[in-house]
Amino acid sequence: RGSDHELTGGSGPEAWPLISPDGARVAFTTRTYPPDAGLKSDTPLLIAAVRTGVAEVVCSDCFRPESWSRDGNKVLISGSASATGTASPLGFVSEFDLISKKRSIVLQDPSRTIASPRYSPNGRWVSFMDSPASQATRQIFVASLAGTDFPVPPSQWIAITDGQTTNREPRWSEDGASLYFVSNRDGFTCLWAQRLDANTKRPAGPTVALRHFHSA
């Protein structure tokens, strides 16, 4: 109706709001970015009802919510300190089931930074970007979540880009047939698309520039 209102009214930091597919709930955390030096393992994942603003802690030691499943029953999160016994949440991604209240690590590689995981529209795949600790580039991958023991090993990750340039923030098309992302492969940060095979999700054909941004 053209007006905004305060949703939660929390007294402390609240960050990374993520609205559910049906628009009825918002997932968020009290973990801010950049993280403070004393990373703790008790940063909660909260779900707030849009209609009432009432927020519930659904996971006591989860970090940033990244993606809702289409049915609204699961959330991808950027790990937690207690899940691996380390103070760094960067090397893995977890899936939190809001029905069973259980968390599963779906991607893990301590030698890499894994970020921006997103469910495919059918929930059977996850896209994400990563970079080895020794490199400044970013590479985009897809991994299957169907019929696979978790965590999915890096050997089963499907490379969408070659890792020679910085490719960031992959997002699925609504039909799951393409990935959109930003890349500096032409010297500028532009918007690109990669068609995917319907069954394997491997790249199908060349990467196509959707929009160039070569000036302000």
Side-chain angles (χ1 to χ4, degrees):
R1 294 188 291 272
S3 62
D4 57 10
H5 66 278
E6 188 175 272
L7 178 63
T8 60
S11 59
E14 295 174 340
W16 309 119
L18 186 67
I19 197 164
S20 63
D22 62 3
R25 295 170 293 169
V26 173
F28 65 98
T29 182
T30 54
R31 173 176 162 78
T32 57
Y33 189 87
D36 56 30
L39 182 62
K40 299 187 173 153
S41 62
D42 57 355
T43 305
L45 174 69
L46 299 94
I47 305 290
V50 170
R51 186 176 63 83
T52 64
V54 175
E56 174 191 5
V57 176
V58 297
C59 178
S60 62
D61 60 351
C62 294
F63 287 137
R64 175 179 174 175
E66 298 277 5
S67 179
W68 286 86
S69 62
R70 177 158 285 188
D71 61 11
N73 291 334
K74 296 178 180 179
V75 178
L76 287 177
I77 58 175
S78 295
S80 72
S82 64
T84 59
T86 175
S88 173
L90 299 178
F92 65 98
V93 170
S94 298
E95 179 181 72
F96 186 77
D97 191 313
L98 295 169
I99 305 301
S100 67
K101 307 298 184 184
K102 293 182 178 179
R103 180 184 58 222
S104 302
I105 298 177
V106 296
L107 301 170
Q108 185 173 10
D109 187 342
S111 68
R112 304 169 186 252
T113 296
I114 306 174
S116 295
R118 294 295 186 277
Y119 285 114
S120 64
N122 64 12
R124 298 176 183 174
W125 303 84
V126 59
S127 63
F128 56 99
M129 63 182 187
D130 91 317
S131 64
S134 60
Q135 297 183 17
T137 58
R138 288 275 190 180
Q139 189 171 7
I140 291 173
F141 291 88
V142 166
S144 173
L145 297 179
T148 304
D149 292 333
F150 293 157
V152 182
S155 61
Q156 295 181 17
W157 299 357
I158 300 168
I160 304 301
T161 60
D162 60 13
Q164 299 303 306
T165 56
T166 299
N167 303 276
R168 299 178 55 87
E169 304 297 339
R171 299 292 187 273
W172 293 89
S173 61
E174 290 189 355
D175 60 2
S178 298
L179 279 179
Y180 305 127
F181 57 93
V182 292
S183 174
N184 67 352
R185 62 186 57 206
D186 66 352
F188 300 88
T189 302
C190 302
L191 185 62
W192 297 76
Q194 176 63 62
R195 292 285 296 178
L196 305 175
D197 181 91
N199 296 317
T200 66
K201 298 305 179 187
R202 295 186 179 278
T207 306
V208 177
L210 292 183
R211 176 74 177 183
H212 289 291
F213 299 99
H214 293 183
S215 67

